Amino acid sequence: MAGHALAESGALYDVSRWNGPIGPWRLIDTTGKSWSASDIAGRAVLINFWASWCEPCRAEMPSLQQLAELYGQQKLLVLAVNFKEPVARALQFSSTAGITLPVLLDIDGKAARAWGVNIFPTTLTIDNRGRPRRRVRGEVDWSADRAQQLVSELFVAKS
């Protein structure tokens, strides 16, 4: 399924179906905690790939933070995966920007490659049943109506 570009508040982003693969993975966050697939099970998840040198990434981060606070980590887990930067740089940006999201470190870029991420920012969505849903490439205002629609589709009734 081809993606479609959407413009909101001057930002342009592309949304397409994402079928994974998710596969086994493990990343360490800036606090030293190890994250894997078992840590996200049962929750809707946004995995945002970003870098501090990426202006759209920096612009998008506050709305990701607000989204995470709105839903709470038990319902919607927002993971910010820093792409190939030194830990100190990721920490400095997070501190300066007031970001309290878990910041995972993709030091060698293997996670981005495994998940087909080659544009920054890119956000991958996974529903609360663990199924891949969407790939969102580009800067998004996560408080906008269309972004809220992308999030609401992640809450699937569990049977």
Side-chain angles (χ1 to χ4, degrees):
M1 178 177 180
H4 55 283
L6 299 168
E8 286 181 353
S9 304
L12 183 66
Y13 60 94
D14 178 75
V15 179
S16 60
R17 183 90 184 117
W18 176 56
N19 297 315
I22 297 175
W25 60 276
R26 180 166 308 281
L27 290 171
I28 305 297
D29 71 17
T30 54
T31 68
K33 178 183 177 189
S34 178
W35 290 79
S36 67
S38 64
D39 295 306
I40 66 173
R43 291 185 272 186
V45 183
L46 295 183
I47 302 174
N48 176 265
F49 285 83
W50 67 281
S52 66
W53 46 259
C54 165
E55 181 58 40
C57 300
R58 292 194 311 266
E60 176 182 57
M61 198 61 73
S63 72
L64 277 170
Q65 178 69 44
Q66 290 172 341
L67 183 70
E69 291 169 2
L70 176 67
Y71 284 94
Q73 201 174 76
Q74 290 309 310
K75 187 169 183 182
L76 177 67
L77 180 60
V78 179
L79 299 175
V81 180
N82 179 265
F83 180 72
K84 293 176 73 169
E85 292 190 289
V87 177
R89 189 168 300 142
L91 282 168
Q92 179 182 9
F93 172 79
S94 298
S95 175
T96 303
I99 302 303
T100 60
L101 301 169
V103 175
L104 284 60
L105 303 167
D106 187 13
I107 299 292
D108 55 11
K110 285 183 181 175
R113 280 192 302 281
W115 289 347
V117 173
N118 54 16
I119 294 171
F120 299 92
T122 290
T123 303
L124 305 174
T125 67
I126 301 170
D127 70 26
N128 59 350
R129 289 187 176 176
R131 298 177 302 196
R133 297 298 294 249
R134 306 274 178 217
R135 177 188 316 271
V136 184
R137 291 181 171 140
E139 177 190 339
V140 176
D141 174 357
W142 289 98
S143 66
D145 289 343
R146 175 63 178 128
Q148 290 298 310
Q149 291 171 3
L150 292 170
V151 171
S152 65
E153 75 178 14
L154 303 178
F155 305 110
V156 180
K158 296 180 183 181
S159 52

